[in-house]
Amino acid sequence: MKIIMFGFSSDETPFCKKWEEKNQDKIKCVTEPLTADNVDMVAGFDGVSTKQVVSIGDESVYHKLNQFGIKFISLRSVGYNVINFNFANKYEIKIANVPAYSPRAIAENGLTVALNLLRHISIIQERERQLDFTIPQELMTDEIYNKTVGIIGLGHIGTASAQLYRALGCKVIGYDPIYNASNEPFVEYTTFKNVINKSDIITLHTPLNSSTHNMIGKSEFDGMKKNVIFINQARGGLVDTQAMIAALKSGKIGGVGLDVLTSEAQFFWKKLTSAQELPEDYQELAKMPNAIITPHSAYYTKTAVRNMVEQSMTDIKRFLAGKKPLYLVDL
Ligand code: NAD
């Protein structure tokens, strides 16, 4: 089969090559996202895969795809808001995504950051840069197996996180409105309030929607244990950033690990030329030695990139063979 892959990045090269060799398929890689400007490139291809943050465009794009015989678009991402489902349905184009390319990638990143904060690794490194190799009492810490870890949202990533913390001997408690019995061996389901009140480490893994927006605000920070380690790798909008900064300043929070921020679109994944371009919330957080910020990179492992390519190609192949795609988004 001949596939055109939009939104291609060079880190996908080895996985595309491997797929081509294994399946005798041909993949044409296009760096730009699929839009009205380049939709004509699709002519002559059997399948379309894309990874992009911008919309694929207006009705004309769907109309053209239909004319080119394209009945299926496979997104190499979790999000599918780049698609207009009214047009996709009108032109009988099915859509699939990659809902879980590697939950473990994000879970491992969260654990790494939590351990760093617990053991003050970044603070110690910074002191060493200032030629200070002493170990004052405030650097004394605890061991992770003593800790209660609270997980909010026990889906793909929350579950992978629970397994990791449990394997280290932590007491793992969690809240999710949907109970999943298969999580029982490594997490004790409890209330949201209990997770907030009883955890030494809290890690957030829910989707962002109208009911979860700012789910962690002043009253939640007030209810947390002193010195809590707070990790958010899910979405910036889940947390009231100003309340979090205030809780850090007051000494309530022992450390935060953030892979997401509400302001992230302004600077994550960009090389800035001046610090003035940084949003205010980041500037405040960056001054704090107990805040670790990563630029929405928790997912970024070889396994995750491989799975984005493999799962997307697998679904195109299934669709073209008349089988149901594994990750159909049916809206
Ligand atoms: P998922 O859909 O598998 O799981 C989400 C879980 O949250 C579900 O079990 C759901 O029932 C639960 N939930 C919904 N509302 C809740 C609430 N109010 N309180 C508690 N739980 C609630 O999603 P996932 O793949 O595990 O992703 C989790 C988050 O991680 C999402 O926000 C996603 O966007 C984000 N994410 C981040 C990265 C990264 O690189 N930082 C990568 C992938 C996903």
Side-chain angles (χ1 to χ4, degrees), residues 31-251:
T31 313
E32 290 74 33
L34 171 63
T35 61
D37 295 340
N38 57 18
V39 64
D40 288 335
M41 291 176 81
V42 170
F45 285 91
D46 308 307
V48 175
S49 167
T50 189
K51 185 174 73 186
Q52 58 190 73
V53 289
V54 293
S55 154
I56 73 165
D58 60 17
E59 185 168 356
S60 67
V61 175
Y62 297 83
H63 182 58
K64 278 202 170 166
L65 288 169
N66 176 287
Q67 284 182 327
F68 296 143
I70 296 297
K71 299 275 178 215
F72 182 65
I73 300 174
S74 174
L75 301 166
R76 302 190 307 288
S77 60
V78 181
Y80 40 78
N81 57 348
V82 298
I83 300 291
N84 181 320
F85 280 86
N86 290 332
F87 298 144
N89 292 335
K90 179 171 173 187
Y91 292 97
E92 296 179 329
I93 299 168
K94 301 273 181 219
I95 308 294
N97 67 343
V98 180
Y101 35 81
S102 181
R104 181 73 190 220
I106 296 110
E108 285 186 14
N109 188 80
L111 172 65
T112 306
V113 173
L115 279 168
N116 180 319
L117 290 163
L118 183 67
R119 302 304 300 262
H120 307 307
I121 302 296
S122 296
I123 293 172
I124 290 170
Q125 265 197 319
E126 188 48 42
R127 291 167 61 88
E128 287 179 357
R129 284 198 190 99
Q130 310 301 321
L131 305 179
D132 186 348
F133 296 85
T134 61
I135 44 169
Q137 199 176 340
E138 66 261 25
L139 289 182
M140 186 166 66
T141 176
D142 211 345
E143 294 165 30
I144 195 153
Y145 74 88
N146 280 325
K147 298 293 172 195
T148 297
V149 178
I151 302 195
I152 301 176
L154 285 154
H156 292 101
I157 300 169
T159 296
S161 304
Q163 286 171 324
L164 289 177
Y165 285 108
R166 186 74 190 95
L168 290 170
C170 300
K171 176 177 166 62
V172 183
I173 58 175
Y175 169 70
D176 193 305
I178 298 171
Y179 170 73
N180 180 351
S182 64
N183 286 343
E184 281 277 336
F186 40 83
V187 58
E188 184 189 314
Y189 278 82
T190 183
T191 60
F192 177 74
K193 190 168 183 298
N194 269 343
V195 172
I196 295 292
N197 296 163
K198 295 191 172 163
S199 305
D200 302 300
I201 298 171
I202 296 179
T203 178
L204 262 190
H205 301 289
T206 70
L208 175 63
N209 54 42
S210 54
S211 70
T212 58
H213 181 251
N214 278 352
M215 71 190 295
I216 308 292
K218 183 180 180 315
S219 63
E220 285 72 29
F221 286 117
D222 285 349
M224 291 178 194
K225 277 180 158 178
K226 184 157 166 52
N227 264 329
V228 65
I229 288 174
F230 179 70
I231 309 288
N232 182 13
Q233 305 176 294
R235 284 292 177 265
L238 297 170
V239 180
D240 177 341
T241 311
Q242 287 315 315
M244 179 176 66
I245 290 172
L248 269 164
K249 282 184 175 163
S250 73

